[in-house]
Amino acid sequence: REMPERLQELAAEVASRQEAGTADAPTILLVALGLHRMRALRRNEDDYGFGGGDGPPTPDKLFIALAREGPAVGVHVLATVDTATNMGRVLDRNGLREFDNRVLFQMSATDSSTMVDSPAASRLGPERAMLYNEELGIAEKFRFYAWPDRSWLEATAARLRAGA
């Protein structure tokens, strides 16, 4: 429910870092778990991007701007979505390209082609996934495992905070 306000805060932080030319600011990670549940991020299907419009940018525009402009100044977006159809409600093809690394699980050939311009994810087994790098155009299959336990995550987070 606070998504629009938080996106505005992050957009202001990105603008501030760009203006200051900050290259060594602390990393900020925007984690959007379940784009399909975030109605505020859905694109307006009637907006073709021609007019500037009056008023502040909408949350969907801020989200894409953060994904596009943020990494250069240490603001990164990690997002999950349940289906390619729901992804299309938030990201158009250009917006999807802002996400350089994608992990795909088994899906239809059409959905795979939408996500990575290849039907490769349709041939994955039930315990396989594919890491796709947009910049390099490389797809690598892997076997995924269970999430690490809480103590490992906390220890790793502490090391990252300490700069190790």
Side-chain angles (χ1 to χ4, degrees):
R1 297 184 195 277
E2 298 174 0
M3 176 74 68
E5 293 83 17
R6 299 295 165 254
L7 288 174
Q8 289 175 350
E9 291 171 10
L10 282 173
E13 177 66 21
V14 167
S16 171
R17 289 181 180 196
Q18 287 174 328
E19 188 175 305
T22 306
D24 59 351
T27 298
I28 296 174
L29 183 61
L30 170 61
V31 180
L33 297 177
L35 289 177
H36 52 282
R37 293 187 300 244
M38 299 176 188
R39 295 184 189 273
L41 297 182
R42 290 190 181 168
R43 294 182 298 124
N44 180 354
E45 297 295 331
D46 297 330
D47 181 10
Y48 298 104
F50 296 126
D54 298 336
T58 58
D60 61 312
K61 302 276 191 228
L62 288 172
F63 183 74
I64 295 300
L66 286 170
R68 181 179 50 250
E69 305 295 333
V73 293
V75 179
H76 303 276
V77 178
L78 172 69
T80 66
V81 66
D82 63 348
T83 66
T85 300
N86 283 334
M87 184 270 316
R89 291 183 176 132
V90 176
L91 302 170
D92 59 10
R93 294 209 39 97
N94 289 330
L96 180 61
R97 287 191 181 101
E98 300 303 333
F99 291 86
D100 287 340
N101 293 300
R102 301 176 209 141
V103 176
L104 288 77
F105 299 95
Q106 188 176 37
M107 61 181 57
S108 73
T110 303
D111 287 352
S112 179
S113 295
T114 298
M115 300 292 285
V116 296
D117 295 328
S118 164
S122 68
R123 296 185 295 273
L124 293 171
E127 295 180 12
R128 298 279 183 179
M130 183 175 75
L131 174 64
Y132 177 77
N133 182 291
E134 174 79 24
E135 183 178 355
L136 301 175
I138 297 173
E140 184 174 335
K141 295 177 186 176
F142 66 95
R143 184 179 304 246
F144 57 92
Y145 297 93
W147 287 99
D149 64 25
R150 186 170 187 83
S151 63
W152 183 88
L153 288 172
E154 289 170 354
T156 302
R159 281 196 307 268
L160 289 172
R161 276 190 229 103

